[in-house]
Amino acid sequence: MPVKSVTVRVPAKVNLQLSVGPRESDGYHNLVTVFQAISIFDEVTVSFTPAQSGVSISITGEQTHGVPADANNLAVKAVELIAKEYDLNIDAHIEIKKAIPVAGGMAGGSADAAAAIVAIDYLYSLGMTREEMTEVASQLGSDVPFMLSGGTAIGTGHGEQLTAALSRGTYHWVLALSTVGLSTPSVYAECDRLRSESEIAEPQTNELLMQALLAADPKAVGANLINDLQAAACSLRPALRLVLDVGQEYGALGALVSGSGPTVAFLVSDEEAGLDLAVALTASGVVGSVARAYGPVAGAKILS
Ligand code: C5P
């Protein structure tokens, strides 16, 4: 009997390093980034719908505002891309249970696309290799390949060319969430506007960060977090500066805007320090809501 439905769990990410080169002629920027997958998960269920033709989608969860529930959703695009490339007629319903902040710089949309690839491969017994999944993923967005693999990885090119990073230990995070997201293209455009050509270096891997990850040294990781998009995210959302300051004042080992923001990620020494910081941030009144997470965790995985 064919499988009727499958649920895939997929994590969020933070960028421990995001070094952005100059804008290229295609509008994209060459990057060197270090991704870490963290323990906030969306669940994506894909079911056969023999009575309905085409792909439909519904979104559930506490925060779903701003998630397209139509063909613009990256998970729908992922299913349609596979249908085209594998010459399949796919009649399916996608249900996304969202926990990853929307437009928060944590790759929520990319994560759902990665989960949809894994789900369709399973439902249709395509037997896709990791390389084939990555090839589809990279056509959907720069962060999608990483959401398949998870763990800790260095991304180059647009962020989609991955090599595993040698990382040891578990890292604890406190995340300051915003209710209103930031658009990734606007943040890159603001980054271009703020920087003069002469100050833009070719991005390089931060060796101090890599050594700190290898040594499982959260203090050194915290001291070497870097995000070239941070100034742009803060320029568009000045309140983020205060959030960064408050978290550091309350003892975070390091702080940075996650990806294109507006989520701010604070690295702490352990779970207890995370709880203390979360309470302090909430009490400070400058943060709407907080979440705690640890990383690295695995990428998109079948649950049932
Ligand atoms: O690849 P993805 O669709 O996730 O990228 C979203 C937007 O982020 C792009 O349209 C582009 O404006 C910006 N971007 C960029 N350089 C990258 C990755 C993304 O300028 N390397």
Side-chain angles (χ1 to χ4, degrees):
M1 178 148 153
V3 190
K4 293 265 189 325
S5 172
V6 67
T7 299
V8 177
R9 189 173 92 147
V10 65
K13 61 86 180 159
V14 290
N15 302 77
L16 311 181
Q17 175 185 357
L18 182 47
S19 298
V20 180
R23 187 177 186 275
E24 305 289 317
S25 53
D26 61 2
Y28 278 77
H29 300 72
N30 280 330
L31 309 174
V32 172
T33 188
V34 178
F35 293 108
Q36 185 179 94
I38 62 166
S39 62
I40 296 178
F41 299 97
D42 279 0
E43 280 180 22
V44 178
T45 301
V46 182
S47 314
F48 279 134
T49 50
Q52 156 213 299
S53 74
V55 181
S56 60
I57 184 163
S58 58
I59 323 281
T60 62
E62 264 177 43
Q63 274 247 13
T64 60
H65 184 73
V67 186
D70 57 24
N72 291 315
N73 191 291
L74 215 48
V76 176
K77 290 185 182 172
V79 174
E80 283 173 350
L81 183 57
I82 296 178
K84 190 168 142 234
E85 295 213 339
Y86 287 77
D87 202 15
L88 295 170
N89 220 337
I90 298 184
D91 299 323
H93 181 73
I94 304 170
E95 188 194 327
I96 300 179
K97 208 159 123 198
K98 274 225 85 66
I100 304 175
V102 179
M106 300 183 76
S110 302
D112 299 342
I117 295 171
V118 171
I120 293 294
D121 172 61
Y122 182 79
L123 276 183
Y124 284 81
S125 306
L126 298 179
M128 291 169 82
T129 62
R130 174 51 64 86
E131 287 69 29
E132 287 165 344
M133 287 193 191
T134 302
E135 165 56 28
V136 170
S138 62
Q139 294 180 56
L140 293 160
S142 311
D143 292 340
V144 185
F146 175 70
M147 304 327 295
L148 286 171
S149 67
T152 309
I154 302 171
T156 54
H158 293 166
E160 84 292 4
Q161 291 165 29
L162 299 176
T163 43
L166 296 171
S167 174
R168 282 204 279 249
T170 295
Y171 297 86
H172 295 270
W173 297 93
V174 176
L175 304 155
L177 310 177
S178 298
T179 41
V180 182
L182 274 174
S183 131
T184 303
S186 323
V187 175
Y188 274 98
E190 181 68 359
C191 178
D192 293 337
R193 194 184 71 78
L194 291 175
R195 302 194 300 183
S196 67
E197 287 289 323
S198 60
E199 63 184 282
I200 306 174
E202 223 18 74
Q204 308 283 341
T205 313
N206 179 347
E207 289 306 331
L208 291 174
L209 174 65
M210 302 318 294
Q211 282 166 25
L213 288 169
L214 189 58
D217 181 347
K219 207 166 164 203
V221 170
N224 287 289
L225 297 171
I226 177 163
N227 181 0
D228 284 351
L229 293 180
Q230 182 159 306
C234 289
S235 166
L236 296 175
R237 194 66 66 75
L240 295 181
R241 291 202 183 92
L242 185 59
V243 176
L244 285 159
D245 288 348
V246 169
Q248 270 166 324
E249 217 172 279
Y250 284 119
L253 299 175
L256 89 177
V257 167
S258 174
S260 56
T263 303
V264 176
F266 299 101
L267 185 64
V268 291
S269 50
D270 53 31
E271 217 178 325
E272 205 184 324
L275 198 53
D276 289 346
L277 180 59
V279 169
L281 282 170
T282 307
S284 75
V286 299
V287 173
S289 61
V290 295
R292 289 181 297 132
Y294 60 87
V297 297
K301 281 266 168 315
I302 291 172
L303 275 188
S304 59

